[in-house]
Amino acid sequence: MTIIKWRPGRSGSRFDPFSEMQRLQREMHRIYNTLTNTWEASRPAGVYPHLNITEDDNNYYVRAELPGVDPQDIEITAQENDLIISGQRKIPVEGENVSYHRREREAGSFSRRITSLPTHIDSSKVAAVCKNGLLTITLPKAPAVKARHIDVKPV
Amino acid sequence: MSDKEIQVRNKRELESEAERTKPGPVFVPAVDIFESEAAITLLADMPGVSSENISIDLHENQLTLSGEVEPLISGKEGYLLQEFETGTFHRQFTLSDRIDQKAITATVKDGVLRLVLPKAEKAKPRKIEVKAG
């Protein structure tokens, strides 16, 4: 008789359907993440407004389409790796004797929070511009996490 | 009414159109259209479009709006999350009333186009009194 050492978590000679399943699940996650290549789920969140987030060496950029929103009605709060964009979209009443043929634009309040920026930001230097209904927030990365370029010197 | 939360909607992409010379997606702007006795007013959401990049064309009764959006990001930026795309806005309407073409006014503010199309004299409603015979 041969004695086989018991190794938990690894399927030795014996077929373990559960660990096999877990392995498969991990593999699927890995493939999914490679394909989508974003740090959050690539499916848009069901919250207004939709956001685009980009980065370069020094900053993160958060952009949102906010047509018809007065820049004074937008509030932005930023700290560490957390950002909140909230505000009001007002559509004024257009006279009394008008009849609407189409009404596709919507008024109301909005609030969106991002909690998972990959690194901390320098919240004292966050800047926001709203031009033609397009909001751009520039979030400088905290100095400690900025990429540093190192030159290799020839000897 | 202002306490209502805005529901998020995906931008509507234009489905069929004659082949375009410029590549990139084409979106249908959301509009409000209302009519008073004197004019038809159209409001269109076109975020990212400046007044120089909007073209409004009224030919016969066909009104065409289009707006170009400049590329959003510079070459050095990489996407972490992309929930919306930008491109050209395009939408056409057929107007049923006679419009005084010379008096049309268009303004853009915060990415919203406001187009006022005053009705021509003929199209304004006249009240006709019915006399007792």
Side-chain angles (χ1 to χ4, degrees):
Chain A
M1 200 177 98
T2 341
I3 299 167
I4 297 166
K5 197 180 176 190
W6 168 246
R7 283 181 295 189
R10 285 177 66 183
S11 49
S13 56
R14 203 178 291 181
F15 177 70
D16 180 353
F18 292 104
S19 78
E20 190 62 15
M21 239 41 143
Q22 278 165 2
R23 193 194 58 77
L24 193 65
Q25 195 180 25
R26 274 199 306 276
E27 187 69 4
M28 291 304 283
H29 274 299
R30 193 189 59 77
I31 292 167
Y32 179 79
N33 287 336
T34 320
L35 289 175
T36 55
N37 199 25
T38 48
W39 107 91
E40 277 188 350
S42 71
R43 204 164 57 90
V47 182
Y48 185 91
H50 276 160
L51 301 177
N52 279 358
I53 305 176
T54 58
E55 67 168 341
D56 61 17
D57 287 348
N58 298 317
N59 302 304
Y60 294 109
Y61 302 94
V62 177
R63 292 184 178 86
E65 291 184 321
L66 298 168
V69 179
D70 189 326
Q72 296 196 325
D73 291 333
I74 304 171
E75 198 174 305
I76 296 159
T77 317
Q79 57 169 348
E80 293 179 347
N81 57 357
D82 190 285
L83 178 74
I84 301 168
I85 305 164
S86 61
Q88 290 260 335
R89 187 183 190 211
K90 295 169 187 164
I91 296 181
V93 179
E94 304 279 354
E96 280 167 15
N97 295 317
V98 299
S99 52
Y100 272 86
H101 298 308
R102 273 163 208 261
R103 207 159 200 179
E104 298 167 356
R105 301 165 67 241
E106 210 182 343
S109 60
F110 57 87
S111 180
R112 174 116 193 233
R113 183 174 185 173
I114 300 158
T115 51
S116 50
L117 287 171
T119 60
H120 281 200
I121 52 166
D122 188 348
S123 58
S124 63
K125 289 184 186 145
V126 172
V129 186
C130 198
K131 196 185 163 208
N132 297 323
L134 192 71
L135 174 71
T136 304
I137 309 170
T138 306
L139 305 140
K141 293 180 183 177
V145 298
K146 272 186 198 170
R148 246 164 276 161
H149 291 284
I150 294 137
D151 290 326
V152 178
K153 287 176 197 158
V155 184
Chain B
M1 188 182 149
S2 58
D3 289 320
K4 194 183 70 163
E5 284 218 1
I6 301 180
Q7 297 302 305
V8 72
R9 282 184 213 168
N10 286 326
K11 286 168 90 174
R12 224 169 96 202
E13 204 163 343
L14 196 65
E15 276 133 22
S16 69
E17 215 210 345
E19 204 170 328
R20 298 179 63 84
T21 47
K22 260 186 101 172
V26 180
F27 297 100
V28 181
V31 298
D32 282 354
I33 302 173
F34 54 88
E35 185 174 347
S36 67
E37 275 190 15
I40 295 169
T41 307
L42 185 147
L43 300 171
D45 285 346
M46 295 168 125
V49 180
S50 61
S51 53
E52 307 93 70
N53 291 332
I54 289 188
S55 86
I56 301 154
D57 182 60
L58 181 61
H59 182 68
E60 312 258 298
N61 276 340
Q62 186 96 310
L63 175 72
T64 309
L65 309 177
S66 56
E68 299 284 336
V69 180
E70 278 154 35
L72 214 56
I73 66 166
S74 62
K76 287 194 92 181
E77 291 175 42
Y79 272 104
L80 294 169
L81 174 73
Q82 185 172 24
E83 291 182 337
F84 68 89
E85 281 186 290
T86 55
T88 308
F89 286 104
H90 187 92
R91 194 155 177 182
Q92 274 189 327
F93 299 94
T94 306
L95 301 168
S96 50
D97 282 299
R98 287 253 164 250
I99 299 298
D100 182 0
Q101 301 219 8
K102 284 180 201 131
I104 294 173
T105 55
T107 46
V108 188
K109 188 174 180 277
D110 298 332
V112 180
L113 169 71
R114 185 185 190 95
L115 190 64
V116 181
L117 306 151
K119 291 182 195 171
E121 282 301 319
K122 271 186 283 178
K124 284 185 187 167
R126 268 175 300 156
K127 207 168 186 181
I128 297 152
E129 279 182 45
V130 181
K131 290 173 191 164

